[in-house]
């Protein structure tokens, strides 16, 4: 997509990081004068919000550099009610939530759209993704940089949300983005990329869970021998595929199963244990962004992700009586119910959407 050919008003969701700043730079270089919007989200309380002063300061500096307007929009209440509420509800069920996916759908492209975004023709972000036009429709395309690709975070967007969203840096490698920022002397050019879960801000994830779930001691059992090998402080602190933070000697140990009712964590020992791997999972409530290309039981080749990783996996998708079934000949590590499985075409160029990973009945 040529940015110079874009018509109409543009709002840029700016974060204070280098990616969104370069998105602003490229739009301005293409002749646009977008309005900048910093969304204030996160949990209220001391040192708990994503809205670090540095974020806003760098966003303001970028706005001044290009003579643009910056508006700060407080969506903390919406975030608390919708995203944090979603995360806690999933954790209580023993699932592994992905709050960043829901933040994009409900807050950055949801609540913002209802309050402000509807007044613009386009919303631009610094996500690593692309806009693909095919068969007269907009599709969510993967980024040029497969390591930085963020389509899995965007795979719950509606078609209406996607259809007027722009991704100005999606055709660039991360090194190119950093180089452009340095050459343009952007205020955030040397800022490190953010890590971790946005809504927690400076709070440790286990501290967050402890605040809402408390602690309750339970057994850690070797699933192969049935022996108790340790204790834990609550199943909610652990996720399928986890290796670190178990406090067990003679490792490695991997979490392979949880009994929520009895508060038991089951682990498997050794790097080569096959119990940490699987070949199949199903997707509940599969969400297709633009169209559903699979409406028959016929097996079709795909690529997929089951978490935010730097690569795609090859597999097949089949529609069965439980919904969409995903199979991979290659072993899949740490299939965690509650996470989102993100589905792509066979070439990993189009992201069709995602669904919540769910266990099979009677298996």
């Amino acid at each position: 997509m040529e940015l110079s050919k874009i018509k109409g008003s543009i709002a840029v969701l700016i974060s204070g990081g280098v990616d969104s700043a370069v998105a602003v730079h490229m739009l301005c270089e293409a002749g646009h004068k977008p309005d900048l919007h910093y969304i204030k989200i996160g949990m209220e309380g001391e040192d708990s919000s994503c809205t670090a002063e540095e974020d806003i300061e760098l966003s303001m500096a970028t706005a001044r550099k290009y003579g643009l307007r910056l508006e700060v929009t407080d969506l903390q209440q919406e975030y608390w009610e919708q995203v944090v509420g979603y995360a806690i509800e999933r954790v209580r069920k023993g699932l592994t939530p992905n709050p960043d996916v829901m933040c994009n759908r409900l807050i950055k492209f949801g609540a913002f759209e209802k309050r402000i975004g509807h007044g613009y023709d386009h919303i631009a972000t610094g996500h690593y993704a692309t806009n693909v036009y095919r068969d007269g429709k907009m599709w969510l395309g993967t980024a040029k940089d497969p390591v930085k690709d963020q389509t899995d975070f965007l795979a719950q967007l509606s078609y209406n949300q996607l259809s007027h969203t722009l991704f100005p840096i999606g055709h660039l490698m991360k090194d190119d983005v950093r180089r452009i920022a340095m050459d343009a002397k952007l205020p955030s050019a040397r800022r490190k990329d953010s890590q971790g879960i946005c809504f927690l801000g400076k709070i440790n994830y286990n501290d967050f869970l402890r605040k809402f779930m408390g602690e309750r001691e339970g057994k850690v059992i070797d699933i192969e021998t049935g022996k108790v090998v340790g204790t834990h402080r609550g199943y909610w602190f652990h996720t399928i595929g986890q290796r670190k933070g178990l406090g067990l000697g003679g490792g490695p140990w991997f979490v392979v199963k949880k009994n929520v009712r009895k508060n038991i964590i089951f682990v498997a020992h050794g790097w080569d244990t096959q119990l940490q791997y699987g070949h199949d999972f199903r997707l509940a409530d599969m969400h297709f962004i633009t169209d559903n290309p699979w409406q028959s039981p016929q097996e079709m080749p795909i690529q997929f992700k089951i978490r935010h990783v730097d690569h795609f996996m090859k597999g097949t998708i089949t529609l069965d009586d439980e919904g969409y079934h995903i199979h991979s000949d290659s072993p899949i590590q740490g299939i965690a119910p509650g996470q989102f499985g993100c589905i792509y075409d066979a070439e990993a160029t189009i992201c069709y959407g995602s669904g919540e990973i769910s266990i099979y009945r009677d298996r």
Side-chain angles (χ1 to χ4, degrees), residues 11-78:
V12 179
L13 300 185
I14 190 168
S15 66
V18 65
D19 297 329
S20 59
V22 171
V24 172
H25 168 78
M26 295 187 67
L27 286 167
C28 291
E29 288 290 292
H32 300 287
K33 295 286 285 185
D35 291 337
L36 310 187
H37 292 269
Y38 181 91
I39 299 178
K40 188 177 182 183
I41 59 175
M43 297 167 53
E44 293 193 12
E46 186 176 359
D47 291 335
S48 65
S49 176
C50 279
T51 57
E53 290 184 7
E54 184 180 3
D55 290 342
I56 297 177
E57 289 176 358
L58 287 169
S59 297
M60 292 179 65
T62 301
R64 286 194 298 268
K65 177 179 177 63
Y66 293 98
L68 305 175
R69 183 171 70 90
L70 172 70
E71 182 177 340
V72 177
T73 302
D74 189 338
L75 295 176
Q76 290 187 86
Q77 181 177 347
E78 290 87 344

Side-chain angles (χ1 to χ4, degrees), residues 65-321:
K65 177 179 177 63
Y66 293 98
L68 305 175
R69 183 171 70 90
L70 172 70
E71 182 177 340
V72 177
T73 302
D74 189 338
L75 295 176
Q76 290 187 86
Q77 181 177 347
E78 290 87 344
Y79 197 93
W80 174 267
E81 293 174 351
Q82 299 181 51
V83 179
V84 177
Y86 147 84
I88 293 299
E89 183 266 338
R90 289 297 193 276
V91 168
R92 289 189 192 280
K93 293 182 178 180
L95 303 175
T96 302
N98 193 322
D100 287 335
V101 170
M102 300 310 289
C103 176
N104 281 324
R105 175 178 177 173
L106 300 174
I107 306 302
K108 294 180 180 178
F109 296 91
F112 176 79
E113 171 72 17
K114 292 178 181 178
R115 187 181 297 189
I116 296 173
H118 63 85
Y120 292 89
D121 297 301
H122 306 281
I123 307 295
T125 78
H127 284 100
Y128 285 85
T130 56
N131 303 96
V132 176
Y133 291 94
R134 183 182 295 175
D135 302 325
K137 296 181 179 179
M138 172 86 75
W139 300 80
L140 177 61
T142 52
K144 180 179 180 180
D145 190 333
V147 173
K148 299 301 294 183
D149 180 83
Q150 293 176 302
T151 50
D152 49 316
F153 287 138
L154 301 166
Q156 282 285 309
L157 295 187
S158 69
Y159 182 74
N160 181 62
Q161 290 171 329
L162 174 67
S163 62
H164 68 283
T165 299
L166 305 175
F167 305 111
I169 67 169
H171 65 291
L172 298 172
M173 300 295 289
K174 178 67 183 193
D175 289 345
D176 294 329
V177 170
R178 187 71 69 175
R179 177 184 52 78
I180 291 171
M182 298 290 287
D183 290 345
K185 296 181 172 56
L186 298 182
S188 56
R190 298 183 183 276
R191 196 180 194 195
K192 293 182 179 180
D193 291 344
S194 61
Q195 301 291 330
I197 302 173
C198 175
F199 82 94
L200 297 183
K202 299 178 183 178
I203 292 181
N204 176 273
Y205 185 55
N206 282 346
D207 290 340
F208 164 76
L209 294 176
R210 190 175 292 109
K211 177 179 178 181
F212 293 97
M213 302 289 290
E215 293 185 354
R216 178 158 58 94
E217 186 172 296
K219 298 176 182 178
V220 179
I221 297 179
D222 184 337
I223 197 169
E224 296 179 282
T225 67
K227 294 182 179 180
V228 177
V229 294
T231 60
H232 63 86
R233 297 180 179 273
Y235 67 81
W236 45 90
F237 293 114
H238 304 284
T239 186
I240 303 299
Q242 177 183 340
R243 178 173 66 87
K244 297 181 180 180
L246 297 175
L248 303 176
W253 294 91
F254 293 87
V255 176
V256 294
K257 186 179 179 181
K258 295 190 285 187
N259 186 316
V260 174
R261 184 173 61 85
K262 295 182 178 180
N263 192 31
I264 295 174
I265 299 296
F266 293 93
V267 296
H269 183 260
W271 292 107
D272 59 348
T273 176
Q274 292 303 301
L275 292 171
Q276 63 164 310
Y277 296 97
H279 290 271
D280 301 88
F281 61 92
R282 79 177 185 92
L283 297 176
D285 301 321
M286 180 65 193
H287 168 74
F288 292 99
I289 303 170
T290 301
D291 271 335
N292 176 1
W294 305 293
Q295 299 186 26
S296 70
Q298 182 181 1
E299 185 177 88
M300 299 291 291
I302 60 165
Q303 295 198 41
F304 66 91
K305 293 182 183 182
I306 62 166
R307 62 177 64 85
H308 184 60
V309 291
D310 59 4
H311 62 280
F312 304 90
M313 292 193 69
K314 292 184 178 181
T316 58
I317 186 170
T318 306
L319 180 62
D320 60 27
D321 59 354

